[in-house]
Amino acid sequence: MPAAGVGCAFSRRAIDRIIAQRGSVDPFAADCLTEDYECGLLVNQTGGRSTFLRVRDESGGLIATREFFPATIAASVRQKTRWIHGIAFQGWDRLGWRVGPGDLWMRLRDRRGPLVALVLTVAYLMLLLWPMMLVLEAAGLVERVPSSPLLRGLLVFNLASLLWRLAMRAMHSGREYGWTEGARALVRFPVGNVIAIMATQRALVAYVRVLSGQRLRWEHTVHRVHVVTACGGEDHSGAALPSAA
């Protein structure tokens, strides 16, 4: 299971096995942009196992680490650029694909970011072209191509999947943070897609620069306000805590 860094615990045995495989005194690779993610995968590769814990305290609150995501588009793009570069591009180079079926599926899922960004770009361009095509069709300048039953079925399935995903996002966000945040989660969905598109472009450029011999750049996320301070001194956590052994 990949590790997200925060809210994550490694046993001493797991760290020792990773150190032995690396042949180094440091389990975390300084030249990896997502060293926490890589270290989580190495737990399994070195014979360990990981567990995703979702537990609550006596008051019903989730026991977890809580943090703010960058509040501006520029900072968000920088953050996601590092994730895409480290997981999709560096992960391919550093960890490869020679794993079992379960891990292979997870790595395909984790490294799909550049492909998703490409599909999103095409989709948003099609949304912009759609009203133009309707106008041209009404003017008799173009003729609509009839769609096949297979294509219509695929579109219906995709729409249903999108609505299901949005419903789950709103429901779970609203359950933990209030229904105002649940509604905001729907608004943030297209914003997140735009950030992903912009970040993928930057990550690809950065990766090509590294391949050409330039030095790897680390764009660290600046945390200006601690979540406990922002919450008035109380940390009402809202995520799960993974652990590895």
Side-chain angles (χ1 to χ4, degrees):
M1 178 185 295
V6 294
C8 184
F10 292 87
S11 72
R12 184 70 228 188
R13 295 190 305 274
I15 293 176
D16 288 341
R17 288 194 299 266
I18 293 173
I19 289 175
Q21 175 164 311
R22 287 192 187 280
S24 169
V25 297
D26 192 347
F28 298 101
D31 57 344
C32 180
L33 292 175
T34 49
E35 77 290 345
D36 46 3
Y37 169 86
E38 180 178 288
C39 201
L41 293 179
L42 289 176
V43 169
N44 177 262
Q45 288 188 204
T46 55
R49 61 188 182 88
S50 57
T51 304
F52 190 82
L53 302 178
R54 182 179 173 86
V55 293
R56 296 181 180 271
D57 58 20
E58 294 82 357
S59 63
L62 284 173
I63 300 175
T65 300
R66 191 177 183 184
E67 187 53 83
F68 289 115
F69 193 76
T72 65
I73 294 293
S76 300
V77 170
R78 285 197 302 270
Q79 171 76 296
K80 201 166 184 69
T81 295
R82 181 162 60 87
W83 292 344
I84 295 174
H85 188 173
I87 294 174
F89 296 127
Q90 274 195 325
W92 187 315
D93 288 341
R94 297 174 60 87
L95 300 174
W97 297 94
R98 294 183 179 180
V99 291
D103 282 336
L104 178 61
W105 167 254
M106 289 299 298
R107 296 190 187 194
L108 283 170
R109 186 180 184 279
D110 292 339
R111 297 171 188 175
R112 75 188 192 280
L115 177 60
V116 170
L118 177 61
V119 173
L120 286 172
T121 301
V122 174
Y124 283 128
L125 287 176
M126 293 299 294
L127 282 177
L128 294 176
L129 290 175
W130 182 41
M132 297 173 57
M133 295 301 297
L134 291 178
V135 172
L136 293 175
E137 183 182 349
L141 299 177
V142 297
E143 183 177 349
R144 177 179 297 185
V145 178
S147 57
S148 66
L150 177 61
L151 178 59
R152 290 195 297 270
L154 182 60
L155 291 175
V156 170
F157 175 77
N158 285 339
L159 178 60
S161 299
L162 174 62
L163 294 177
W164 173 262
R165 183 177 181 183
L166 291 175
M168 292 299 102
R169 179 184 291 247
M171 182 181 70
H172 289 288
S173 297
R175 179 184 177 186
E176 298 298 338
Y177 304 108
W179 295 112
T180 299
E181 288 301 322
R184 288 177 178 174
L186 300 178
V187 178
R188 288 193 295 266
F189 185 78
V191 177
N193 289 342
V194 173
I195 290 174
I197 293 171
M198 297 170 65
T200 299
Q201 182 269 331
R202 293 184 79 250
L204 179 59
V205 171
Y207 179 62
V208 171
R209 287 175 178 170
V210 172
L211 292 180
S212 65
Q214 296 187 32
R215 185 177 180 180
L216 181 68
R217 293 180 56 189
W218 179 282
E219 294 183 314
H220 183 66
T221 303
V222 179
H223 301 285
R224 301 186 183 278
V225 180
H226 195 279
V227 65
V228 175
T229 303
C231 293
E234 297 183 5
D235 184 9
H236 303 289
S237 300
L241 173 65
S243 64

